[in-house]
Short mmCIF file of all heavy atoms in Angstrom, two decimals:
data_model
loop_
_atom_site.label_atom_id
_atom_site.label_comp_id
_atom_site.label_asym_id
_atom_site.label_seq_id
_atom_site.Cartn_x
_atom_site.Cartn_y
_atom_site.Cartn_z
N LEU B 4 -5.47 85.32 41.11
CA LEU B 4 -4.10 84.87 40.61
C LEU B 4 -3.19 86.02 41.07
O LEU B 4 -3.35 87.18 40.74
CB LEU B 4 -4.08 84.78 39.17
CG LEU B 4 -5.00 83.63 38.52
CD1 LEU B 4 -4.78 83.68 37.03
CD2 LEU B 4 -4.60 82.33 39.05
N ASN B 6 0.53 87.43 40.87
CA ASN B 6 1.81 87.40 40.33
C ASN B 6 2.23 86.03 39.76
O ASN B 6 3.37 85.56 40.21
CB ASN B 6 2.81 87.97 41.39
CG ASN B 6 4.13 88.45 40.70
OD1 ASN B 6 4.11 88.69 39.58
ND2 ASN B 6 5.12 88.57 41.50
N VAL B 7 1.43 85.45 39.08
CA VAL B 7 1.61 84.04 38.64
C VAL B 7 2.57 83.97 37.53
O VAL B 7 2.35 84.66 36.45
CB VAL B 7 0.25 83.26 38.30
CG1 VAL B 7 0.50 82.01 37.64
CG2 VAL B 7 -0.45 83.12 39.61
N SER B 8 3.56 83.06 37.48
CA SER B 8 4.46 82.88 36.34
C SER B 8 4.61 81.31 36.17
O SER B 8 4.55 80.62 37.11
CB SER B 8 5.79 83.51 36.57
OG SER B 8 5.65 84.96 36.61
N LYS B 9 4.82 80.96 34.89
CA LYS B 9 5.07 79.56 34.69
C LYS B 9 6.22 79.50 33.50
O LYS B 9 6.05 80.08 32.52
CB LYS B 9 3.78 78.90 34.11
CG LYS B 9 4.06 77.40 33.71
CD LYS B 9 4.27 76.50 34.81
CE LYS B 9 4.52 75.11 34.44
NZ LYS B 9 4.71 74.13 35.61
N THR B 10 7.28 78.77 33.88
CA THR B 10 8.31 78.59 32.94
C THR B 10 8.52 77.09 32.64
O THR B 10 8.46 76.34 33.59
CB THR B 10 9.68 79.09 33.62
OG1 THR B 10 9.40 80.40 34.06
CG2 THR B 10 10.76 79.21 32.45
N PHE B 11 8.46 76.77 31.41
CA PHE B 11 8.69 75.34 30.98
C PHE B 11 10.16 75.20 30.61
O PHE B 11 10.68 76.10 29.90
CB PHE B 11 7.80 74.94 29.80
CG PHE B 11 6.36 74.91 30.20
CD1 PHE B 11 5.46 75.89 29.77
CD2 PHE B 11 5.84 73.85 30.90
CE1 PHE B 11 4.13 75.77 30.03
CE2 PHE B 11 4.55 73.77 31.17
CZ PHE B 11 3.65 74.68 30.83
N GLU B 12 10.73 74.10 31.02
CA GLU B 12 12.09 73.69 30.65
C GLU B 12 11.92 72.82 29.39
O GLU B 12 11.34 71.71 29.41
CB GLU B 12 12.83 72.93 31.69
CG GLU B 12 12.88 73.63 32.99
CD GLU B 12 13.97 74.70 33.13
OE1 GLU B 12 14.79 74.64 32.24
OE2 GLU B 12 13.98 75.44 34.12
N THR B 13 12.36 73.25 28.23
CA THR B 13 12.41 72.45 27.11
C THR B 13 13.70 72.19 26.56
O THR B 13 14.73 72.76 27.05
CB THR B 13 11.52 73.03 25.97
OG1 THR B 13 12.21 74.11 25.55
CG2 THR B 13 10.11 73.52 26.39
N GLY B 16 15.59 75.19 25.57
CA GLY B 16 15.71 76.23 26.61
C GLY B 16 14.46 76.58 27.32
O GLY B 16 13.49 75.81 27.25
N LYS B 17 14.43 77.68 28.09
CA LYS B 17 13.27 78.03 28.86
C LYS B 17 12.23 78.67 28.07
O LYS B 17 12.53 79.53 27.21
CB LYS B 17 13.71 78.90 30.04
CG LYS B 17 14.47 78.19 31.10
CD LYS B 17 14.82 79.10 32.23
CE LYS B 17 15.55 78.35 33.35
NZ LYS B 17 15.78 79.16 34.45
N VAL B 18 11.00 78.36 28.30
CA VAL B 18 9.88 78.99 27.68
C VAL B 18 9.05 79.53 28.76
O VAL B 18 8.47 78.80 29.64
CB VAL B 18 8.96 78.06 26.84
CG1 VAL B 18 7.77 78.74 26.22
CG2 VAL B 18 9.77 77.39 25.67
N GLU B 19 8.86 80.89 28.77
CA GLU B 19 8.08 81.53 29.73
C GLU B 19 6.60 81.61 29.23
O GLU B 19 6.22 82.49 28.43
CB GLU B 19 8.54 82.95 30.00
CG GLU B 19 9.80 82.99 30.85
CD GLU B 19 10.29 84.35 31.11
OE1 GLU B 19 10.77 84.99 30.17
OE2 GLU B 19 10.05 84.74 32.28
N ALA B 20 5.72 80.67 29.66
CA ALA B 20 4.40 80.58 29.10
C ALA B 20 3.49 81.59 29.79
O ALA B 20 2.64 82.14 29.02
CB ALA B 20 3.86 79.21 29.28
N VAL B 21 3.67 81.87 31.04
CA VAL B 21 2.85 82.85 31.73
C VAL B 21 3.84 83.81 32.49
O VAL B 21 4.74 83.25 33.13
CB VAL B 21 1.83 82.10 32.59
CG1 VAL B 21 1.16 83.17 33.54
CG2 VAL B 21 0.89 81.34 31.90
N LYS B 22 3.59 85.09 32.44
CA LYS B 22 4.48 86.01 33.10
C LYS B 22 3.72 86.96 33.93
O LYS B 22 2.91 87.73 33.52
CB LYS B 22 5.29 86.82 32.07
CG LYS B 22 6.42 86.05 31.39
CD LYS B 22 7.11 86.94 30.32
CE LYS B 22 7.16 86.15 28.98
NZ LYS B 22 7.53 87.09 27.91
N ASN B 23 4.01 86.92 35.27
CA ASN B 23 3.52 87.87 36.28
C ASN B 23 2.03 88.19 36.05
O ASN B 23 1.76 89.44 35.93
CB ASN B 23 4.37 89.18 36.15
CG ASN B 23 5.82 88.89 36.29
OD1 ASN B 23 6.48 88.74 35.34
ND2 ASN B 23 6.36 88.66 37.56
N VAL B 24 1.16 87.30 36.02
CA VAL B 24 -0.17 87.54 35.80
C VAL B 24 -0.95 87.82 37.10
O VAL B 24 -0.84 87.13 38.07
CB VAL B 24 -0.89 86.38 35.10
CG1 VAL B 24 -2.45 86.56 35.08
CG2 VAL B 24 -0.40 86.30 33.62
N GLU B 25 -1.67 88.95 37.18
CA GLU B 25 -2.54 89.36 38.34
C GLU B 25 -3.93 89.35 37.72
O GLU B 25 -4.25 90.16 36.80
CB GLU B 25 -2.24 90.78 38.75
CG GLU B 25 -0.84 90.97 39.38
CD GLU B 25 -0.81 90.60 40.87
OE1 GLU B 25 -1.86 90.44 41.45
OE2 GLU B 25 0.28 90.44 41.37
N LEU B 26 -4.79 88.48 38.30
CA LEU B 26 -6.21 88.49 37.93
C LEU B 26 -7.10 88.20 39.01
O LEU B 26 -6.73 87.51 40.03
CB LEU B 26 -6.46 87.36 36.88
CG LEU B 26 -6.17 87.56 35.39
CD1 LEU B 26 -6.66 86.27 34.73
CD2 LEU B 26 -6.93 88.65 34.85
N ILE B 36 -10.82 85.38 28.75
CA ILE B 36 -9.43 85.59 28.49
C ILE B 36 -9.20 85.33 27.01
O ILE B 36 -9.59 84.27 26.48
CB ILE B 36 -8.56 84.56 29.33
CG1 ILE B 36 -8.80 84.75 30.80
CG2 ILE B 36 -7.05 84.73 28.97
CD1 ILE B 36 -8.13 83.72 31.71
N VAL B 37 -8.81 86.41 26.35
CA VAL B 37 -8.63 86.24 24.87
C VAL B 37 -7.27 86.47 24.50
O VAL B 37 -6.43 87.15 25.14
CB VAL B 37 -9.57 87.28 24.21
CG1 VAL B 37 -9.06 88.65 24.37
CG2 VAL B 37 -9.78 86.97 22.67
N GLY B 38 -6.81 85.76 23.48
CA GLY B 38 -5.47 85.86 23.01
C GLY B 38 -5.23 84.90 21.85
O GLY B 38 -6.04 83.90 21.71
N PHE B 39 -4.18 85.03 21.12
CA PHE B 39 -3.87 84.03 20.06
C PHE B 39 -3.38 82.80 20.66
O PHE B 39 -2.93 82.73 21.88
CB PHE B 39 -2.91 84.64 19.08
CG PHE B 39 -3.41 85.74 18.18
CD1 PHE B 39 -2.90 86.98 18.29
CD2 PHE B 39 -4.56 85.44 17.42
CE1 PHE B 39 -3.42 87.99 17.44
CE2 PHE B 39 -5.01 86.43 16.58
CZ PHE B 39 -4.53 87.78 16.59
N SER B 40 -3.25 81.66 19.89
CA SER B 40 -2.75 80.45 20.39
C SER B 40 -1.34 80.69 20.77
O SER B 40 -0.55 81.37 20.01
CB SER B 40 -2.99 79.31 19.50
OG SER B 40 -2.33 79.57 18.29
N GLY B 41 -0.87 80.10 21.86
CA GLY B 41 0.41 80.30 22.38
C GLY B 41 0.67 81.50 23.23
O GLY B 41 1.75 81.84 23.68
N ALA B 42 -0.45 82.18 23.54
CA ALA B 42 -0.41 83.40 24.38
C ALA B 42 -0.29 83.04 25.79
O ALA B 42 0.03 83.86 26.69
CB ALA B 42 -1.58 84.28 24.14
N GLY B 43 -0.59 81.81 26.19
CA GLY B 43 -0.45 81.40 27.62
C GLY B 43 -1.76 81.23 28.29
O GLY B 43 -1.80 80.95 29.50
N LYS B 44 -2.86 81.44 27.53
CA LYS B 44 -4.18 81.36 28.17
C LYS B 44 -4.49 79.92 28.71
O LYS B 44 -5.12 79.77 29.78
CB LYS B 44 -5.30 81.98 27.37
CG LYS B 44 -5.19 81.67 25.85
CD LYS B 44 -6.21 82.56 25.20
CE LYS B 44 -6.65 81.86 23.92
NZ LYS B 44 -5.63 81.31 23.01
N SER B 45 -4.22 78.96 27.84
CA SER B 45 -4.48 77.55 28.30
C SER B 45 -3.64 77.23 29.56
O SER B 45 -4.16 76.60 30.50
CB SER B 45 -4.12 76.53 27.20
OG SER B 45 -5.28 76.34 26.40
N THR B 46 -2.34 77.54 29.54
CA THR B 46 -1.54 77.27 30.72
C THR B 46 -2.09 77.95 31.87
O THR B 46 -2.14 77.34 33.01
CB THR B 46 -0.15 77.79 30.46
OG1 THR B 46 0.34 77.33 29.19
CG2 THR B 46 0.89 77.34 31.50
N LEU B 47 -2.52 79.16 31.73
CA LEU B 47 -3.07 79.89 32.90
C LEU B 47 -4.24 79.23 33.51
O LEU B 47 -4.36 79.02 34.67
CB LEU B 47 -3.37 81.35 32.33
CG LEU B 47 -3.81 82.40 33.43
CD1 LEU B 47 -2.48 82.64 34.27
CD2 LEU B 47 -4.33 83.60 32.88
N VAL B 48 -5.17 78.91 32.62
CA VAL B 48 -6.39 78.31 33.08
C VAL B 48 -6.30 76.86 33.71
O VAL B 48 -6.99 76.54 34.55
CB VAL B 48 -7.46 78.43 31.91
CG1 VAL B 48 -7.56 77.05 31.18
CG2 VAL B 48 -8.83 78.78 32.47
N ARG B 49 -5.19 76.16 33.15
CA ARG B 49 -4.89 74.87 33.67
C ARG B 49 -4.48 74.94 35.11
O ARG B 49 -4.50 73.90 35.84
CB ARG B 49 -4.01 74.17 32.79
CG ARG B 49 -4.49 73.61 31.43
CD ARG B 49 -3.49 73.38 30.44
NE ARG B 49 -2.61 72.28 30.95
CZ ARG B 49 -2.74 70.99 30.68
NH1 ARG B 49 -3.82 70.67 29.98
NH2 ARG B 49 -1.95 70.07 31.13
N MET B 50 -4.01 76.13 35.48
CA MET B 50 -3.55 76.27 36.89
C MET B 50 -4.70 76.30 37.81
O MET B 50 -4.48 76.11 39.04
CB MET B 50 -2.68 77.56 37.09
CG MET B 50 -1.32 77.48 36.33
SD MET B 50 -0.56 79.06 36.45
CE MET B 50 0.83 78.78 35.37
N LEU B 54 -3.81 71.18 37.00
CA LEU B 54 -3.24 70.50 35.95
C LEU B 54 -1.82 70.98 35.60
O LEU B 54 -1.08 70.29 34.98
CB LEU B 54 -4.16 70.46 34.65
CG LEU B 54 -5.35 69.64 34.75
CD1 LEU B 54 -6.29 70.00 33.51
CD2 LEU B 54 -5.20 68.18 34.84
N GLU B 55 -1.61 72.23 36.03
CA GLU B 55 -0.34 72.85 35.85
C GLU B 55 -0.10 73.61 37.07
O GLU B 55 -1.05 74.19 37.74
CB GLU B 55 -0.59 73.92 34.66
CG GLU B 55 0.64 74.15 33.66
CD GLU B 55 0.95 72.88 32.88
OE1 GLU B 55 0.39 72.68 31.79
OE2 GLU B 55 1.89 72.20 33.32
N THR B 56 1.15 73.61 37.55
CA THR B 56 1.50 74.36 38.78
C THR B 56 2.35 75.57 38.37
O THR B 56 3.27 75.37 37.61
CB THR B 56 2.22 73.50 39.88
OG1 THR B 56 3.21 72.75 39.21
CG2 THR B 56 1.25 72.57 40.55
N PRO B 57 2.10 76.79 38.98
CA PRO B 57 2.92 77.84 38.63
C PRO B 57 4.31 77.73 39.18
O PRO B 57 4.57 77.13 40.17
CB PRO B 57 2.14 79.03 39.33
CG PRO B 57 1.38 78.39 40.42
CD PRO B 57 1.00 76.99 39.99
N THR B 58 5.34 78.30 38.38
CA THR B 58 6.67 78.33 38.91
C THR B 58 6.85 79.34 40.08
O THR B 58 7.51 79.03 41.01
CB THR B 58 7.62 78.75 37.71
OG1 THR B 58 7.21 78.11 36.55
CG2 THR B 58 9.05 78.43 38.10
N SER B 59 6.06 80.41 40.03
CA SER B 59 5.99 81.30 41.13
C SER B 59 4.61 81.90 41.19
O SER B 59 3.89 81.92 40.15
CB SER B 59 7.11 82.37 41.06
OG SER B 59 6.90 83.16 39.89
N ILE B 197 -11.83 80.79 27.98
CA ILE B 197 -10.65 81.21 27.22
C ILE B 197 -10.95 81.00 25.67
O ILE B 197 -11.62 79.99 25.27
CB ILE B 197 -9.34 80.48 27.64
CG1 ILE B 197 -9.44 79.06 27.44
CG2 ILE B 197 -8.97 80.90 28.98
CD1 ILE B 197 -8.11 78.47 27.78
N VAL B 213 -6.92 90.53 28.05
CA VAL B 213 -6.22 90.19 26.72
C VAL B 213 -4.81 89.70 27.03
O VAL B 213 -4.12 90.32 27.80
CB VAL B 213 -6.22 91.41 25.83
CG1 VAL B 213 -5.62 91.07 24.48
CG2 VAL B 213 -7.57 91.99 25.69
N MET B 214 -4.45 88.54 26.49
CA MET B 214 -3.17 88.02 26.76
C MET B 214 -2.25 88.07 25.51
O MET B 214 -2.76 87.74 24.45
CB MET B 214 -3.29 86.53 27.36
CG MET B 214 -3.48 86.56 28.76
SD MET B 214 -3.37 84.89 29.42
CE MET B 214 -1.57 84.81 29.75
N GLU B 215 -1.02 88.28 25.71
CA GLU B 215 -0.08 88.25 24.71
C GLU B 215 1.20 87.90 25.29
O GLU B 215 1.73 88.47 26.18
CB GLU B 215 0.04 89.62 23.88
CG GLU B 215 0.91 89.56 22.74
CD GLU B 215 1.06 90.97 22.04
OE1 GLU B 215 0.89 91.99 22.72
OE2 GLU B 215 1.19 91.02 20.81
N ASN B 216 1.93 86.87 24.63
CA ASN B 216 3.25 86.43 25.10
C ASN B 216 3.30 86.12 26.61
O ASN B 216 4.30 86.52 27.25
CB ASN B 216 4.28 87.37 24.74
CG ASN B 216 4.47 87.54 23.23
OD1 ASN B 216 4.17 86.57 22.51
ND2 ASN B 216 4.83 88.82 22.79
N GLY B 217 2.29 85.53 27.14
CA GLY B 217 2.28 85.19 28.54
C GLY B 217 1.81 86.24 29.47
O GLY B 217 1.78 86.09 30.71
N ARG B 218 1.67 87.50 29.06
CA ARG B 218 1.25 88.61 29.92
C ARG B 218 -0.12 89.00 29.62
O ARG B 218 -0.70 88.90 28.51
CB ARG B 218 2.14 89.83 29.69
CG ARG B 218 3.53 89.68 30.04
CD ARG B 218 4.26 90.96 29.86
NE ARG B 218 5.73 90.68 29.98
CZ ARG B 218 6.33 90.75 31.08
NH1 ARG B 218 5.68 90.93 32.20
NH2 ARG B 218 7.61 90.50 31.10
N VAL B 219 -0.76 89.47 30.64
CA VAL B 219 -2.14 90.07 30.47
C VAL B 219 -1.85 91.57 30.22
O VAL B 219 -1.33 92.31 31.03
CB VAL B 219 -3.04 90.00 31.83
CG1 VAL B 219 -4.22 90.83 31.62
CG2 VAL B 219 -3.32 88.59 32.04
N ILE B 220 -2.13 91.95 28.96
CA ILE B 220 -1.78 93.31 28.53
C ILE B 220 -2.92 94.35 28.76
O ILE B 220 -2.58 95.48 28.77
CB ILE B 220 -1.27 93.32 27.00
CG1 ILE B 220 -2.43 92.77 26.15
CG2 ILE B 220 0.01 92.60 26.77
CD1 ILE B 220 -2.01 92.97 24.64
#
Side-chain angles (χ1 to χ4, degrees):
Chain B
L4 299 179
N6 199 19
V7 168
S8 297
K9 174 76 184 181
T10 311
F11 289 108
E12 305 278 348
T13 69
K17 287 183 178 182
V18 176
E19 288 182 282
V21 173
K22 285 179 233 169
N23 308 96
V24 168
E25 293 276 347
L26 270 188
I36 300 173
V37 72
F39 290 118
S40 59
K44 36 191 212 311
S45 270
T46 310
L47 190 68
V48 92
R49 285 161 62 92
M50 291 180 191
L54 286 174
E55 218 62 87
T56 46
T58 316
S59 65
I197 62 174
V213 184
M214 280 191 84
E215 188 181 28
N216 297 330
R218 289 181 195 279
V219 170
I220 55 170

